[in-house]
């Protein structure tokens, strides 16, 4: 395992940890390391790789099949066709986290990000959420921004402090939240209702999507409330990190009024 770092203007930057080789990746998973992303050479075979595949299935870890040229660009070391990127944070599960919020006597305020893939947006949203006291950020296991050095830096370290729950299926997670007494408020243009008309003083999960496609129809269908940010100019969309700040702080305004 090697710690990859670089410096800019004398300042130490955040680093990614990478693990090379099939056996090394197996050991990393067995030791409880969080795999942020995994690259596997196309056509890889052999008994050791089959052992790794079995472990990946057991832990529900996905991977990308890539040409060997991509792996060789990442490292000149003997990678054996497998390179794993270790997450700098430990992911949690909302099913474990939500009961502890209620047990503390607090009113849950959660943020779910559906398809937000830009790492800088992820970092900026995490920074706002942590400053506002949001209890957790929920992201899908697939189709979400990596928690990497850029995300950590943009968050000003907030991603080390705020719980991030990485879930297999956001639809299933949304239904769990609703069954647990948490209202689902989806930010979308597919409504006439304003984000300022929603009551956020009750247990709430705010759902935001990527700027190009928005929140998925599956989440819209199960939501309790649809709400949009009023627009008065010619440009009809906001950066998702800006949208998150607006909605989160409306919730905080209501809760601390």
């Amino acid at each position: 395992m090697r710690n990859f770092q670089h410096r800019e203007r004398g300042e130490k930057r955040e680093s990614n940890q990478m693990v090379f080789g099939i056996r090394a990746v197996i050991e990393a998973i067995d030791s409880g390391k969080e795999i942020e992303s995994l690259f596997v050479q196309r056509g890889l075979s052999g008994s050791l790789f089959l052992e790794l595949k079995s472990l990946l299935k057991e832990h529900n870890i996905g991977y990308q099949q890539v040409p060997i040229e991509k792996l060789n660009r990442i490292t000149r070391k003997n990678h054996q066709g497998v390179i794993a990127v270790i997450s700098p944070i430990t992911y949690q599960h909302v099913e474990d986290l939500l009961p502890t919020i209620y047990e503390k006597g607090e009113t849950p305020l959660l943020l779910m990000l559906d398809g937000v893939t830009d790492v800088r947006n992820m970092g900026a949203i995490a920074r706002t959420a942590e400053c506002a006291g949001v209890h957790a950020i929920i992201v899908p296991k697939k189709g979400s921004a990596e928690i990497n050095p850029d995300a950590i830096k943009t968050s000003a370290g907030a991603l080390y402090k705020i719980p991030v729950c990485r879930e297999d299926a956001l639809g299933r997670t949304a239904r769990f939240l609703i069954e647990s007494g948490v209202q689902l408020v989806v930010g979308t243009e597919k409504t006439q209702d304003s984000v300022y008309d929603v009551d956020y003083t009750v247990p709430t999960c705010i759902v935001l999507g990527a700027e190009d496609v928005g929140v998925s129809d599956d989440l819209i269908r199960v939501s309790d409330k649809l709400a949009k940010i009023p627009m008065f100019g010619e440009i009809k969309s906001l950066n998702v990190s800006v949208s998150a700040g607006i909605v989160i702080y409306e919730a905080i305004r209501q809760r601390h009024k």
Side-chain angles (χ1 to χ4, degrees), residues 109-111 113 124-134 137 162 195 200 206 208 229 240-255:
L109 180 58
L110 308 170
L111 180 63
L113 302 178
I125 291 169
R127 184 174 184 172
T128 299
E130 200 283 329
C131 288
V134 171
I137 298 172
I162 188 169
V195 294
Y200 299 98
I206 298 165
L208 298 174
I229 298 172
V240 66
S241 65
V242 174
S243 298
I246 291 171
V247 183
I248 288 170
Y249 270 93
E250 171 59 19
I252 297 306
R253 184 193 68 82
Q254 291 185 19
R255 292 184 177 207

Side-chain angles (χ1 to χ4, degrees), residues 129-148:
E130 200 283 329
C131 288
V134 171
H135 289 100
I137 298 172
I138 303 168
V139 298
K141 185 166 284 188
K142 295 181 179 178
S144 180
E146 285 190 5
I147 306 300
N148 63 14

Side-chain angles (χ1 to χ4, degrees), residues 94 98 102 107-114 136-139 167 169-188 191 193-195 197-209 215-228 247 251 255:
V94 71
L98 188 61
Y102 280 125
T107 303
L109 180 58
L110 308 170
L111 180 63
M112 181 181 288
L113 302 178
D114 180 23
I137 298 172
I138 303 168
V139 298
E167 306 295 345
L170 292 187
R172 185 166 64 242
T173 301
R175 287 187 288 273
F176 164 79
L177 291 173
I178 293 170
E179 292 167 1
S180 301
V182 179
Q183 72 167 347
L184 220 66
V185 179
V186 171
T188 177
T191 181
D193 297 330
S194 167
V195 294
D197 296 329
V198 177
D199 180 6
Y200 299 98
T201 62
V202 300
T204 299
C205 178
I206 298 165
V207 186
L208 298 174
V215 177
S216 68
D217 289 338
D218 289 343
L219 289 175
I220 289 176
R221 277 194 292 268
V222 300
S223 66
D224 297 289
K225 305 279 186 182
L226 301 181
K228 69 177 181 179
V247 183
R255 292 184 177 207

Side-chain angles (χ1 to χ4, degrees), residues 1-3 17-19 23-38 55-56 59-61 84-91 141 166:
M1 186 181 297
R2 183 180 171 190
N3 207 21
Q17 280 193 324
M18 292 190 183
V19 179
R23 176 57 64 190
V25 173
I26 290 174
E27 291 174 355
I29 296 171
D30 282 336
S31 67
K33 298 288 187 183
E34 295 274 6
I35 305 298
E36 186 67 37
S37 54
L38 181 62
L55 192 63
L56 295 176
H59 290 270
N60 196 23
I61 299 172
V85 180
I86 306 299
S87 174
I89 68 170
T90 299
Y91 290 103
K141 185 166 284 188
R166 187 166 64 171

Side-chain angles (χ1 to χ4, degrees), residues 2 4 18-21 68-83:
R2 183 180 171 190
F4 281 79
M18 292 190 183
V19 179
F20 311 123
I68 191 171
E69 290 80 10
K70 178 168 183 175
L71 300 178
N72 291 339
R73 284 196 299 270
I74 296 174
T75 180
R76 296 179 181 275
K77 290 182 174 291
N78 181 21
H79 50 67
Q80 299 177 302
V82 176
I83 298 176

